Amino acid sequence: DAVRGELKKVCNRLAYPALAVLATEPADASGDAWVVFRATVKDGARDVSFTERSRFRRHDGAWRYVDGDVLR
C-alpha cells in the first residue's frame, strides 16, 4: 500500500546515531514511569534530533511505551 511504501522510504533515509537518557522518574501511584531522552536523528545531512518526555507503564512484567511529548 502507498502509505507503507512511503513510510519505508522515510525510515530507510533516517539515521539514529545516538540516544541519551537525560532523566528518569520512578512509577507514580498510577503505575506510570517517565523517561526524558535525547534522540540524535539525521535525515541525510539535516539534523532532526529531538528531546522527548516519554511515559511507560508495566504490562505483563515489562515496561511498555505509552506516549510522550516532544520537548525539542
Side-chain angles (χ1 to χ4, degrees), residues 1-5 8 10-11 16 20-21 28 30 32 34 38 42 45-49 60 62-64 68 70 72:
D1 118 285
V3 172
R4 178 175 277 165
K8 187 174 181 178
V10 169
C11 289
Y16 299 87
V21 174
D28 58 20
S30 70
D32 292 341
W34 299 87
R38 175 79 181 156
K42 300 292 183 177
R46 192 167 65 117
D47 182 2
V48 291
S49 301
D60 291 335
W63 288 103
R64 306 284 186 194
V70 174
R72 195 87 155 107

mmCIF file of all heavy atoms in Angstrom, residues 1-5 8 10-11 16 20-21 28 30 32 34 38 42 45-49 60 62-64 68 70 72:
data_model
loop_
_atom_site.group_PDB
_atom_site.id
_atom_site.type_symbol
_atom_site.label_atom_id
_atom_site.label_comp_id
_atom_site.label_asym_id
_atom_site.label_seq_id
_atom_site.Cartn_x
_atom_site.Cartn_y
_atom_site.Cartn_z
ATOM 1 N N ASP A 1 0.838 -1.180 0.000
ATOM 2 C CA ASP A 1 0.000 0.000 0.000
ATOM 3 C C ASP A 1 0.881 1.240 0.000
ATOM 4 O O ASP A 1 2.023 1.207 0.421
ATOM 5 C CB ASP A 1 -0.981 -0.205 1.155
ATOM 6 C CG ASP A 1 -1.019 0.721 2.323
ATOM 7 O OD1 ASP A 1 -0.122 0.657 3.181
ATOM 8 O OD2 ASP A 1 -1.995 1.442 2.376
ATOM 9 N N ALA A 2 0.358 2.356 -0.474
ATOM 10 C CA ALA A 2 1.154 3.569 -0.693
ATOM 11 C C ALA A 2 1.724 4.131 0.598
ATOM 12 O O ALA A 2 2.870 4.581 0.634
ATOM 13 C CB ALA A 2 0.309 4.619 -1.397
ATOM 14 N N VAL A 3 0.939 4.130 1.662
ATOM 15 C CA VAL A 3 1.412 4.670 2.939
ATOM 16 C C VAL A 3 2.578 3.845 3.463
ATOM 17 O O VAL A 3 3.586 4.384 3.915
ATOM 18 C CB VAL A 3 0.260 4.724 3.975
ATOM 19 C CG1 VAL A 3 0.777 5.094 5.346
ATOM 20 C CG2 VAL A 3 -0.811 5.685 3.522
ATOM 21 N N ARG A 4 2.463 2.544 3.387
ATOM 22 C CA ARG A 4 3.543 1.654 3.849
ATOM 23 C C ARG A 4 4.820 1.896 3.041
ATOM 24 O O ARG A 4 5.914 1.959 3.596
ATOM 25 C CB ARG A 4 3.116 0.200 3.741
ATOM 26 C CG ARG A 4 4.230 -0.752 4.155
ATOM 27 C CD ARG A 4 3.770 -2.164 4.158
ATOM 28 N NE ARG A 4 3.109 -2.367 5.432
ATOM 29 C CZ ARG A 4 2.336 -3.374 5.728
ATOM 30 N NH1 ARG A 4 2.075 -4.291 4.833
ATOM 31 N NH2 ARG A 4 1.797 -3.481 6.909
ATOM 32 N N GLY A 5 4.692 2.069 1.744
ATOM 33 C CA GLY A 5 5.850 2.323 0.902
ATOM 34 C C GLY A 5 6.534 3.643 1.248
ATOM 35 O O GLY A 5 7.757 3.722 1.308
ATOM 36 N N LYS A 8 8.336 3.319 4.598
ATOM 37 C CA LYS A 8 9.578 2.562 4.430
ATOM 38 C C LYS A 8 10.682 3.446 3.855
ATOM 39 O O LYS A 8 11.820 3.402 4.306
ATOM 40 C CB LYS A 8 9.343 1.348 3.537
ATOM 41 C CG LYS A 8 10.519 0.431 3.456
ATOM 42 C CD LYS A 8 10.198 -0.829 2.686
ATOM 43 C CE LYS A 8 11.400 -1.741 2.647
ATOM 44 N NZ LYS A 8 11.102 -2.988 1.944
ATOM 45 N N VAL A 10 10.995 6.718 4.180
ATOM 46 C CA VAL A 10 11.416 7.653 5.230
ATOM 47 C C VAL A 10 12.316 6.941 6.229
ATOM 48 O O VAL A 10 13.378 7.437 6.603
ATOM 49 C CB VAL A 10 10.200 8.288 5.930
ATOM 50 C CG1 VAL A 10 10.624 9.043 7.180
ATOM 51 C CG2 VAL A 10 9.464 9.209 4.975
ATOM 52 N N CYS A 11 11.906 5.765 6.665
ATOM 53 C CA CYS A 11 12.701 5.010 7.653
ATOM 54 C C CYS A 11 14.077 4.650 7.111
ATOM 55 O O CYS A 11 15.071 4.692 7.847
ATOM 56 C CB CYS A 11 11.958 3.754 8.092
ATOM 57 S SG CYS A 11 10.531 4.105 9.124
ATOM 58 N N TYR A 16 19.882 7.023 13.123
ATOM 59 C CA TYR A 16 19.754 7.287 14.562
ATOM 60 C C TYR A 16 21.087 6.998 15.239
ATOM 61 O O TYR A 16 21.260 5.945 15.849
ATOM 62 C CB TYR A 16 18.663 6.406 15.171
ATOM 63 C CG TYR A 16 17.298 6.644 14.571
ATOM 64 C CD1 TYR A 16 16.879 5.976 13.428
ATOM 65 C CD2 TYR A 16 16.436 7.547 15.152
ATOM 66 C CE1 TYR A 16 15.623 6.198 12.890
ATOM 67 C CE2 TYR A 16 15.176 7.781 14.622
ATOM 68 C CZ TYR A 16 14.777 7.095 13.485
ATOM 69 O OH TYR A 16 13.542 7.320 12.951
ATOM 70 N N ALA A 20 20.298 9.264 24.209
ATOM 71 C CA ALA A 20 20.805 9.510 25.559
ATOM 72 C C ALA A 20 19.637 9.702 26.519
ATOM 73 O O ALA A 20 18.742 10.504 26.257
ATOM 74 C CB ALA A 20 21.689 10.755 25.571
ATOM 75 N N VAL A 21 19.645 8.953 27.609
ATOM 76 C CA VAL A 21 18.651 9.132 28.658
ATOM 77 C C VAL A 21 19.116 10.289 29.538
ATOM 78 O O VAL A 21 20.217 10.260 30.091
ATOM 79 C CB VAL A 21 18.473 7.845 29.485
ATOM 80 C CG1 VAL A 21 17.539 8.092 30.663
ATOM 81 C CG2 VAL A 21 17.952 6.716 28.607
ATOM 82 N N ASP A 28 4.682 6.306 39.459
ATOM 83 C CA ASP A 28 3.839 7.036 40.404
ATOM 84 C C ASP A 28 2.705 6.121 40.879
ATOM 85 O O ASP A 28 2.687 4.925 40.582
ATOM 86 C CB ASP A 28 3.316 8.327 39.769
ATOM 87 C CG ASP A 28 2.521 8.095 38.491
ATOM 88 O OD1 ASP A 28 2.024 6.959 38.264
ATOM 89 O OD2 ASP A 28 2.373 9.053 37.707
ATOM 90 N N SER A 30 -0.217 5.764 39.881
ATOM 91 C CA SER A 30 -0.983 5.157 38.791
ATOM 92 C C SER A 30 -0.191 4.072 38.061
ATOM 93 O O SER A 30 -0.730 3.391 37.194
ATOM 94 C CB SER A 30 -1.429 6.227 37.793
ATOM 95 O OG SER A 30 -0.313 6.731 37.081
ATOM 96 N N ASP A 32 2.593 4.735 36.259
ATOM 97 C CA ASP A 32 3.321 5.309 35.126
ATOM 98 C C ASP A 32 4.699 5.786 35.567
ATOM 99 O O ASP A 32 4.851 6.387 36.620
ATOM 100 C CB ASP A 32 2.558 6.504 34.550
ATOM 101 C CG ASP A 32 1.257 6.109 33.884
ATOM 102 O OD1 ASP A 32 1.096 4.921 33.548
ATOM 103 O OD2 ASP A 32 0.403 6.994 33.681
ATOM 104 N N TRP A 34 8.390 7.740 33.960
ATOM 105 C CA TRP A 34 8.743 8.704 32.915
ATOM 106 C C TRP A 34 10.230 8.667 32.619
ATOM 107 O O TRP A 34 11.045 8.457 33.508
ATOM 108 C CB TRP A 34 8.352 10.118 33.366
ATOM 109 C CG TRP A 34 6.885 10.245 33.608
ATOM 110 C CD1 TRP A 34 6.217 9.965 34.772
ATOM 111 C CD2 TRP A 34 5.894 10.645 32.676
ATOM 112 N NE1 TRP A 34 4.880 10.178 34.612
ATOM 113 C CE2 TRP A 34 4.651 10.604 33.333
ATOM 114 C CE3 TRP A 34 5.949 11.052 31.340
ATOM 115 C CZ2 TRP A 34 3.460 10.943 32.695
ATOM 116 C CZ3 TRP A 34 4.766 11.407 30.716
ATOM 117 C CH2 TRP A 34 3.539 11.347 31.394
ATOM 118 N N ARG A 38 17.147 12.203 24.721
ATOM 119 C CA ARG A 38 17.546 12.994 23.553
ATOM 120 C C ARG A 38 17.896 12.018 22.442
ATOM 121 O O ARG A 38 18.807 11.183 22.606
ATOM 122 C CB ARG A 38 18.755 13.875 23.889
ATOM 123 C CG ARG A 38 19.312 14.647 22.716
ATOM 124 C CD ARG A 38 18.477 15.869 22.442
ATOM 125 N NE ARG A 38 19.020 16.600 21.293
ATOM 126 C CZ ARG A 38 18.308 17.398 20.549
ATOM 127 N NH1 ARG A 38 17.035 17.603 20.821
ATOM 128 N NH2 ARG A 38 18.842 18.016 19.534
ATOM 129 N N LYS A 42 19.363 11.945 12.036
ATOM 130 C CA LYS A 42 19.832 12.616 10.825
ATOM 131 C C LYS A 42 18.961 12.201 9.646
ATOM 132 O O LYS A 42 18.661 11.018 9.466
ATOM 133 C CB LYS A 42 21.295 12.245 10.516
ATOM 134 C CG LYS A 42 22.276 12.612 11.613
ATOM 135 C CD LYS A 42 22.409 14.098 11.751
ATOM 136 C CE LYS A 42 23.456 14.436 12.800
ATOM 137 N NZ LYS A 42 23.679 15.847 12.928
ATOM 138 N N ALA A 45 21.856 15.037 5.475
ATOM 139 C CA ALA A 45 22.739 15.971 6.177
ATOM 140 C C ALA A 45 21.986 16.824 7.197
ATOM 141 O O ALA A 45 22.593 17.543 7.987
ATOM 142 C CB ALA A 45 23.433 16.885 5.169
ATOM 143 N N ARG A 46 20.669 16.738 7.199
ATOM 144 C CA ARG A 46 19.839 17.574 8.068
ATOM 145 C C ARG A 46 19.678 16.932 9.448
ATOM 146 O O ARG A 46 19.356 15.760 9.571
ATOM 147 C CB ARG A 46 18.477 17.764 7.420
ATOM 148 C CG ARG A 46 17.631 18.823 8.057
ATOM 149 C CD ARG A 46 16.439 19.165 7.182
ATOM 150 N NE ARG A 46 15.549 18.029 7.057
ATOM 151 C CZ ARG A 46 14.287 18.005 7.502
ATOM 152 N NH1 ARG A 46 13.776 19.077 8.069
ATOM 153 N NH2 ARG A 46 13.541 16.941 7.361
ATOM 154 N N ASP A 47 19.885 17.733 10.486
ATOM 155 C CA ASP A 47 19.716 17.281 11.866
ATOM 156 C C ASP A 47 18.247 17.463 12.261
ATOM 157 O O ASP A 47 17.733 18.573 12.257
ATOM 158 C CB ASP A 47 20.618 18.095 12.798
ATOM 159 C CG ASP A 47 20.534 17.658 14.248
ATOM 160 O OD1 ASP A 47 19.800 16.698 14.557
ATOM 161 O OD2 ASP A 47 21.208 18.280 15.083
ATOM 162 N N VAL A 48 17.569 16.361 12.576
ATOM 163 C CA VAL A 48 16.173 16.415 13.004
ATOM 164 C C VAL A 48 16.036 15.818 14.411
ATOM 165 O O VAL A 48 15.030 15.218 14.760
ATOM 166 C CB VAL A 48 15.231 15.722 11.988
ATOM 167 C CG1 VAL A 48 15.154 16.511 10.694
ATOM 168 C CG2 VAL A 48 15.668 14.286 11.719
ATOM 169 N N SER A 49 17.061 16.013 15.219
ATOM 170 C CA SER A 49 17.106 15.482 16.581
ATOM 171 C C SER A 49 16.021 16.116 17.443
ATOM 172 O O SER A 49 15.530 17.203 17.156
ATOM 173 C CB SER A 49 18.478 15.756 17.200
ATOM 174 O OG SER A 49 19.483 15.151 16.430
ATOM 175 N N ASP A 60 2.426 -7.029 31.954
ATOM 176 C CA ASP A 60 2.929 -8.409 31.965
ATOM 177 C C ASP A 60 4.410 -8.472 32.327
ATOM 178 O O ASP A 60 5.177 -9.218 31.723
ATOM 179 C CB ASP A 60 2.682 -9.108 30.628
ATOM 180 C CG ASP A 60 1.216 -9.377 30.368
ATOM 181 O OD1 ASP A 60 0.439 -9.482 31.345
ATOM 182 O OD2 ASP A 60 0.830 -9.482 29.182
ATOM 183 N N ALA A 62 6.787 -6.272 31.875
ATOM 184 C CA ALA A 62 7.715 -5.500 31.037
ATOM 185 C C ALA A 62 7.217 -4.070 30.899
ATOM 186 O O ALA A 62 6.009 -3.815 30.873
ATOM 187 C CB ALA A 62 7.841 -6.138 29.654
ATOM 188 N N TRP A 63 8.152 -3.125 30.808
ATOM 189 C CA TRP A 63 7.790 -1.723 30.602
ATOM 190 C C TRP A 63 7.433 -1.514 29.144
ATOM 191 O O TRP A 63 8.165 -1.928 28.251
ATOM 192 C CB TRP A 63 8.933 -0.808 31.008
ATOM 193 C CG TRP A 63 9.121 -0.747 32.480
ATOM 194 C CD1 TRP A 63 10.086 -1.366 33.219
ATOM 195 C CD2 TRP A 63 8.300 -0.042 33.418
ATOM 196 N NE1 TRP A 63 9.921 -1.092 34.550
ATOM 197 C CE2 TRP A 63 8.829 -0.278 34.709
ATOM 198 C CE3 TRP A 63 7.169 0.757 33.303
ATOM 199 C CZ2 TRP A 63 8.280 0.265 35.864
ATOM 200 C CZ3 TRP A 63 6.622 1.304 34.441
ATOM 201 C CH2 TRP A 63 7.168 1.053 35.707
ATOM 202 N N ARG A 64 6.301 -0.855 28.900
ATOM 203 C CA ARG A 64 5.824 -0.565 27.545
ATOM 204 C C ARG A 64 5.649 0.942 27.372
ATOM 205 O O ARG A 64 5.149 1.630 28.260
ATOM 206 C CB ARG A 64 4.473 -1.228 27.281
ATOM 207 C CG ARG A 64 4.447 -2.703 27.541
ATOM 208 C CD ARG A 64 5.120 -3.448 26.457
ATOM 209 N NE ARG A 64 4.930 -4.889 26.702
ATOM 210 C CZ ARG A 64 5.597 -5.807 26.108
ATOM 211 N NH1 ARG A 64 6.509 -5.500 25.219
ATOM 212 N NH2 ARG A 64 5.380 -7.072 26.375
ATOM 213 N N GLY A 68 4.258 10.155 24.629
ATOM 214 C CA GLY A 68 5.301 11.106 25.004
ATOM 215 C C GLY A 68 5.036 12.480 24.422
ATOM 216 O O GLY A 68 4.205 12.645 23.538
ATOM 217 N N VAL A 70 7.129 15.753 22.788
ATOM 218 C CA VAL A 70 8.387 16.254 22.249
ATOM 219 C C VAL A 70 8.657 17.604 22.900
ATOM 220 O O VAL A 70 7.800 18.497 22.890
ATOM 221 C CB VAL A 70 8.331 16.366 20.717
ATOM 222 C CG1 VAL A 70 9.599 17.032 20.189
ATOM 223 C CG2 VAL A 70 8.145 14.984 20.097
ATOM 224 N N ARG A 72 11.697 19.278 22.259
ATOM 225 C CA ARG A 72 12.600 19.872 21.257
ATOM 226 C C ARG A 72 13.602 20.691 21.926
ATOM 227 O O ARG A 72 14.013 21.590 22.227
ATOM 228 C CB ARG A 72 11.830 20.646 20.190
ATOM 229 C CG ARG A 72 12.692 20.948 18.974
ATOM 230 C CD ARG A 72 12.614 19.799 18.040
ATOM 231 N NE ARG A 72 12.863 20.037 16.651
ATOM 232 C CZ ARG A 72 13.970 19.646 16.033
ATOM 233 N NH1 ARG A 72 14.949 19.126 16.669
ATOM 234 N NH2 ARG A 72 14.057 19.764 14.739
#
